Amino acid sequence: MVTVDLYPDEVYNLVSEIPDPEIPVITIKDLGILRGVRIEDGAYIVTITPTYTACPAMGMIGDQIKEILESHGVTNVKVELTYKPAWTTDWLTQEAKLKLKKYGIAPPNHSSCSKLFSTAEIVSCPQCNSKHTSLISRFGSTACKALYKCDDCKETFDAFKCH
Amino acid sequence: MTTKDATYTYTLRLGDDALILGHRLSELCSRGPILEEDLALTNVALDMIGRAQALLKYAADIEGKGKTDDDIAYRRAEINYYNHLLIEQPNGDFAHTIARQLFVSVFEFLFYTELEKSRDETLAAIASKTIKEIKYHMQHAIDWTLRLGDGTSESHKRMQTAVNDLWMYTGELFEMDEVDAQLMREGIAVDLIPIKAKWHDDIKTVLSKATLLMPEDTYMQTGSKKGIHTENLGHILSEMQYLQRAYPDAKW
């Protein structure tokens, strides 16, 4: 039973502002994690996709979706996880990329830059915009980030991996 | 054998590789040789556990007995695990960890690229998700193989020893049985014969770039497809399953 009559679009808008638990400056909609809302057998099905298969934020995002909808009187909610189509950084909006940069995380380039065996990827320093940066570690503080340092301002910074 | 049974076994085998390697790598948490490497190996472990979760959940769904991915992961005996023997080998020194990662991730890269074309939609979806992560694992393993092989005389010696030690577990990666044969006919499973040739070429290229010698194919260990393992798996399970065995259904 759907207790409150809302269109799927309205439900989508309600949950779209949920911030990503690990990068709170951008929302799950900005990130492309929120895939859609539909009604099935009288329940709202909210579909989300993980950035990485083991993204530990998925459980929390699912809980937050239910919480926010419950506060609007919507209780019959199922959160569904999908792997297809596979998440890509191409889904990040331009606005989201700017927010990331402001937060100190170098935004991802187009996903095609993650070509195998190419090390020539240019990542700009989010602090001073210098293009003279070097990779410290391909694996950073979360699954979706790598660790870089700026050769000009000497700051180390996180870079969102192209995916 | 029905398609359902064969797909269950096939999925379980893939899930076990991811689960056991994820556990093995997680043993290195806080023990990496340097901080960045600690982060890298545990990131790889996390990807593996994520893949295991997806695959074991699918296996549970196929089985249809109401089990969860956790039931499958934590409540089987050693003989009911089907991960490859290579996967369960100890971390050893860093060279052994890297040699194992090299052999496994080059194999997985080739394998999952093909599995993306599987007629089983769930396996294909998981493959297209996981292949992006495998590229990072493989690049990382190749980087370290080059660095250690073409490094100091000590790192070269250790890397060569690790490659030699683990070689006898690589033959099993390409074994196929009736499960593979049946699912290949149905367009679900991956044919490992072409994969084997490509794997040999790729490994040969990396090893020679790293100034390492490619070992000769001699006796190859086997058994995991029947649940026969080296002594290592029992030790892994005793730690991995401890909580579920001591406190069944424990919740956080």
Side-chain angles (χ1 to χ4, degrees), chain A residues 50-54 56 83-84 86-88 114 116-118 136-143 161-163, chain B residues 36 39-40 43-44 46-47 49-51 54 109 125-126 128-129 132-133 135-140 142-143:
Chain A
T51 53
Y52 282 71
T53 42
Y83 294 109
K84 204 180 174 179
W87 179 83
T88 160
S114 69
L116 207 53
F117 304 120
S118 99
I136 298 177
S137 172
R138 223 171 251 120
F139 300 88
S141 56
T142 64
K161 292 196 261 191
C162 290
H163 204 63
Chain B
E36 289 78 9
L39 270 175
N43 258 281
V44 178
L46 186 66
D47 288 345
I49 291 164
R51 193 200 306 164
F109 175 70
I126 295 172
S128 66
K129 181 80 200 155
K132 295 185 175 204
E133 294 162 14
K135 285 181 189 170
Y136 275 93
H137 307 167
M138 183 166 84
Q139 186 72 63
H140 181 251
I142 291 174
D143 283 356

Side-chain angles (χ1 to χ4, degrees), chain B residues 37-87:
Chain B
E37 200 44 40
D38 205 297
L39 270 175
L41 293 170
T42 46
N43 258 281
V44 178
L46 186 66
D47 288 345
M48 290 289 173
I49 291 164
R51 193 200 306 164
Q53 209 172 13
L55 287 164
L56 296 183
K57 185 179 177 305
Y58 182 45
D61 289 349
I62 299 171
E63 195 192 31
K65 289 183 183 163
K67 283 188 202 161
T68 66
D69 40 342
D70 279 353
D71 293 334
I72 293 196
Y74 297 117
R75 294 182 181 185
R76 278 179 291 152
E78 191 186 334
I79 196 150
N80 303 119
Y81 277 82
Y82 302 107
N83 60 279
H84 290 110
L85 301 178
L86 176 62
I87 298 288

Side-chain angles (χ1 to χ4, degrees), chain B residues 75-251:
Chain B
R75 294 182 181 185
R76 278 179 291 152
E78 191 186 334
I79 196 150
N80 303 119
Y81 277 82
Y82 302 107
N83 60 279
H84 290 110
L85 301 178
L86 176 62
I87 298 288
E88 69 202 33
Q89 296 312 304
N91 291 325
D93 65 3
F94 186 56
H96 279 78
T97 300
I98 291 303
R100 190 186 60 210
Q101 285 308 109
L102 176 75
F103 294 158
V104 171
S105 53
V106 171
F107 172 76
E108 287 185 340
F109 175 70
L110 298 167
F111 178 85
Y112 279 97
T113 302
E114 287 305 309
L115 193 68
E116 251 189 293
K117 303 169 199 157
S118 174
R119 265 202 218 156
D120 183 295
E121 280 182 20
T122 307
L123 288 178
I126 295 172
S128 66
K129 181 80 200 155
T130 201
I131 193 75
K132 295 185 175 204
E133 294 162 14
I134 292 168
K135 285 181 189 170
Y136 275 93
H137 307 167
M138 183 166 84
Q139 186 72 63
H140 181 251
I142 291 174
D143 283 356
W144 271 114
T145 304
L146 298 179
R147 205 159 148 187
L148 295 175
D150 196 12
T152 64
S153 59
E154 178 68 14
S155 72
H156 175 88
K157 190 182 84 192
R158 290 212 194 191
M159 198 60 216
Q160 186 68 61
T161 306
V163 165
N164 295 349
D165 286 353
L166 292 174
W167 194 255
M168 66 174 156
Y169 300 107
T170 59
E172 202 197 32
L173 294 172
F174 311 102
E175 279 180 11
M176 291 183 281
D177 64 4
E178 67 280 2
V179 172
D180 299 81
Q182 178 174 342
L183 294 182
M184 263 163 61
R185 280 195 297 275
E186 299 179 37
I188 294 172
V190 173
D191 182 359
L192 297 177
I193 292 170
I195 302 269
K196 183 177 183 178
K198 283 188 200 148
W199 184 88
H200 267 258
D201 287 350
D202 288 353
I203 294 293
K204 203 172 180 179
T205 307
V206 176
L207 292 183
S208 92
K209 253 184 147 175
T211 71
L212 296 163
L213 295 173
M214 180 107 163
E216 300 270 325
D217 276 354
T218 50
Y219 177 74
M220 290 290 183
Q221 293 284 356
T222 181
S224 72
K225 275 192 153 64
K226 295 189 171 68
I228 297 163
H229 291 275
T230 63
E231 66 176 281
N232 300 299
L233 184 66
H235 294 289
I236 293 176
L237 295 186
S238 68
E239 193 179 310
M240 194 180 84
Q241 297 182 333
Y242 170 78
L243 196 77
Q244 273 302 315
R245 299 282 184 199
Y247 307 98
D249 300 317
K251 292 238 182 312

Side-chain angles (χ1 to χ4, degrees), chain A residues 62-75:
Chain A
D63 290 346
Q64 284 177 328
I65 288 173
K66 286 182 184 160
E67 215 171 276
I68 265 202
L69 292 178
E70 207 178 312
S71 73
H72 287 82
V74 184
T75 48

Side-chain angles (χ1 to χ4, degrees), chain A residues 118-137:
Chain A
S118 99
T119 46
E121 190 183 327
I122 295 169
V123 175
S124 303
C125 170
Q127 307 295 342
C128 73
N129 294 321
S130 164
K131 289 193 189 328
H132 301 123
T133 58
S134 32
L135 178 71
I136 298 177
S137 172

